[in-house]
Amino acid sequence: MNDTSLANTTSGPAGYQPKYPQLVEFSKEYANIHGPIAVVVCAWGVIANLVNIVVLTRKNMQSSTNLILTWLAVADLLTMASYLPVSIHFYIMRDPQLEFPSTRSIGWIGLMLFHINFTVVCHTIAIWLTIILAIFRYLYICYPIQGASLCSMLRAKIAILCVYLCTAVVCIPNYLLNAVKHDTSRCTNNVTTPACSHYEFKNSKLAEPFLNNFNYWIQAGLIKLIPCALLTILTILLIFAMHAANKRRMALKSQGKKDESDRAREHNRTTAMLLAIVALFLLTELPQGVLTLCSIFIETFFDDVYWPLGDLLDIMALLNNSINFVLYCTMSRQFRDTFKNVFCSCCESRPGWMKVRTAEPNGGGTSKV
C-alpha cells in the first residue's frame, strides 16, 4: 500500500544521520504500537470488505456504480489480507536483534517481498477505481438524460479491467527493484546458522540508475501526484454538481412535483456518499502526494521526513480501506435493507425472533448505493 515503510525498504534510513531526531524517535515509539493497531484494523477491514462484496453483488444492487464499488472492495480486501500476517510477524513478533524488515526465515522474507509488490498494486488499483467512480458519478449528475449510456455496465467493466491490467503492468519496474539478501556477516568459521544469519532486502542486480529513476517517476506521478490532483479536481466538481442538483430538487419541490423531488433527494444522498468516499481517499493520499513532491525537489527529504512517517501513513491508508462499510450503512438505505435481508434472514425463520424489516413503508423507492 503506502510505499514509504515497505515498498521502499531498499532506500531506508540505515546509515544516515537524521535531521529531525524527534521525528525518528516518534517513528520508533509508534512502531511499538503499529502492529497491534494494524492487526485490529486489518481484521475488521477483511470482514467489512467481504460483507461489502456480498451485499453489492446481490441482484437488486446491480448498477455500474455498485460494480465499481465491488471491485474497489476486492482491492481493499486483498490489501488488508496481505498486510495482516506481515504486521503480526514483522511488528508484533519482531526479533529485537534485527532491523525492520529483516527476519531469520526465508519463508517470511519471501512473503514480505510478495507483500511489498502486491499491496502497491492493490492500493494503486483502489485509487484509480475511486477516480473512475467519481468520474462516473459526475457524468451521471451533469448529464442525467445520457447518464445511463455514458455510465453503462459495459463501460464500467471495461474501465475496471483496464485499471487492474494497466496497474499490474505499470508496476513491473517496482517488481524488478526488490530482491532478497542473505546476510551471514555475523557468522564465524564459515558456519552459517539461523542464529547468526538473517534475510533482508537489497536492490536487484537489474536496478540500474535508469530503472531506479524510471520507477521513481512512475511511483511519484501515476501513483501519487496525478491521482491526488485528479481527486482534488473531482471532489470540487462533485461539490458544485451536488449544489446544482440540490437547487433543482428544491425547484421541483416548490412546483409540487413531490415524486420527482424525492427521487432527486435519493440521488443526492447517493452522490453525497460517493463524495465522502472520494474525499476520504483524498484526505489519505494528499499528504503522501505532498511528501512525494517535496522528496523530488528537496534533497534528503525522503530519509529525513517521509521515511519516519511511513507507518503512520500506512495506518491512515488501512483505516481508509476499512471504512467504506460504515459509510454504506449510514448513508445508503438500500445497502442497509439488503444487508439485513442477506445476513439477518435467519432471524425471520426462527420462532419468537423479531422479523427484520427489509422494505420501506408505501413501497418507497430507494436508489442504488
Side-chain angles (χ1 to χ4, degrees):
M1 52 148 49
N2 168 42
D3 55 355
T4 58
S5 62
L6 295 179
N8 287 333
T9 52
T10 54
S11 57
Y16 86 101
Q17 295 298 322
K19 187 176 181 180
Y20 306 105
Q22 298 88 350
L23 193 59
V24 175
E25 185 63 26
F26 164 78
S27 176
K28 292 179 180 179
E29 291 296 327
Y30 174 72
N32 295 327
I33 62 172
H34 176 74
I37 295 176
V39 167
V40 172
V41 173
C42 287
W44 157 255
V46 168
I47 296 172
N49 281 294
L50 280 173
V51 172
N52 290 341
I53 294 169
V54 171
V55 174
L56 292 172
T57 52
R58 299 303 92 190
K59 288 185 178 180
N60 67 306
M61 299 290 286
Q62 290 183 359
S63 70
S64 58
T65 296
N66 287 349
L67 183 64
I68 298 172
L69 290 174
T70 299
W71 286 98
L72 174 61
V74 170
D76 289 341
L77 171 65
L78 293 175
T79 298
M80 308 194 86
S82 174
Y83 204 102
L84 185 57
V86 169
S87 61
I88 294 174
H89 180 78
F90 288 91
Y91 285 92
I92 297 178
M93 301 178 64
R94 175 184 173 185
D95 188 334
Q97 297 180 347
L98 300 178
E99 293 185 0
F100 176 87
S102 301
T103 179
R104 302 192 190 279
S105 168
I106 190 171
W108 279 106
I109 204 68
L111 177 63
M112 173 62 95
L113 183 61
F114 169 79
H115 166 78
I116 285 173
N117 295 311
F118 186 68
T119 51
V120 169
V121 171
C122 291
H123 190 60
T124 304
I125 287 172
I127 294 171
W128 282 99
L129 285 182
T130 304
I131 293 172
I132 298 296
L133 181 69
I135 293 174
F136 268 52
R137 195 61 193 177
Y138 180 73
L139 291 174
Y140 190 84
I141 295 174
C142 294
Y143 305 98
I145 298 177
Q146 303 96 328
S149 59
L150 291 174
C151 306
S152 64
M153 289 286 286
L154 177 60
R155 293 190 176 186
K157 291 177 181 178
I158 293 173
I160 293 168
L161 182 62
C162 288
V163 168
Y164 268 79
L165 292 180
C166 291
T167 302
V169 172
V170 165
C171 290
I172 287 177
N174 196 66
Y175 312 151
L176 301 176
L177 290 175
N178 294 311
V180 173
K181 175 185 176 183
H182 188 195
D183 189 340
T184 59
S185 59
R186 298 181 182 179
C187 299
T188 58
N189 299 325
N190 295 324
V191 177
T192 302
T193 63
C196 68
S197 65
H198 65 273
Y199 297 90
E200 60 186 25
F201 289 97
K202 68 169 185 176
N203 281 330
S204 168
K205 293 180 180 179
L206 296 176
E208 299 176 354
F210 171 77
L211 185 59
N212 273 299
N213 292 334
F214 181 65
N215 180 67
Y216 184 78
W217 283 104
I218 287 178
Q219 297 282 325
L222 296 180
I223 299 180
K224 290 291 185 290
L225 301 180
I226 294 177
C228 284
L230 289 176
L231 285 172
T232 302
I233 294 171
L234 289 168
T235 299
I236 295 172
L237 291 176
L238 281 173
I239 291 173
F240 279 105
M242 275 191 61
H243 179 68
N246 190 58
K247 290 178 65 176
R248 289 196 297 269
R249 185 182 73 83
M250 296 304 294
L252 289 171
K253 187 175 182 180
S254 64
Q255 295 170 9
K257 301 179 180 179
K258 185 178 184 302
D259 291 341
E260 295 182 27
S261 175
D262 290 343
R263 284 195 296 270
R265 181 179 61 182
E266 292 297 337
H267 287 305
N268 286 353
R269 290 178 61 184
T270 301
T271 303
M273 184 191 70
L274 300 180
L275 177 61
I277 295 173
V278 175
L280 284 174
F281 250 99
L282 178 61
L283 186 64
T284 303
E285 299 302 319
L286 187 58
Q288 296 185 34
V290 173
L291 292 174
T292 300
L293 192 63
C294 293
S295 299
I296 294 174
F297 297 106
I298 302 175
E299 189 178 1
T300 73
F301 185 87
F302 181 87
D303 289 339
D304 290 333
V305 179
Y306 204 167
W307 175 274
L309 293 176
D311 287 339
L312 185 61
L313 295 174
D314 267 0
I315 202 65
M316 288 176 59
L318 289 173
L319 286 169
N320 180 59
N321 291 347
S322 64
I323 203 172
N324 284 350
F325 172 76
V326 178
L327 293 177
Y328 300 158
C329 286
T330 55
M331 303 183 72
S332 173
R333 181 173 59 185
Q334 190 182 28
F335 185 92
R336 292 194 301 271
D337 291 343
T338 305
F339 173 82
K340 294 175 184 177
N341 188 48
V342 172
F343 292 99
C344 302
S345 57
C346 59
C347 300
E348 297 181 354
S349 60
R350 296 187 180 185
W353 284 54
M354 182 181 296
K355 292 190 175 184
V356 179
R357 291 175 57 193
T358 59
E360 292 295 320
N362 304 320
T366 60
S367 65
K368 297 188 187 300
V369 172

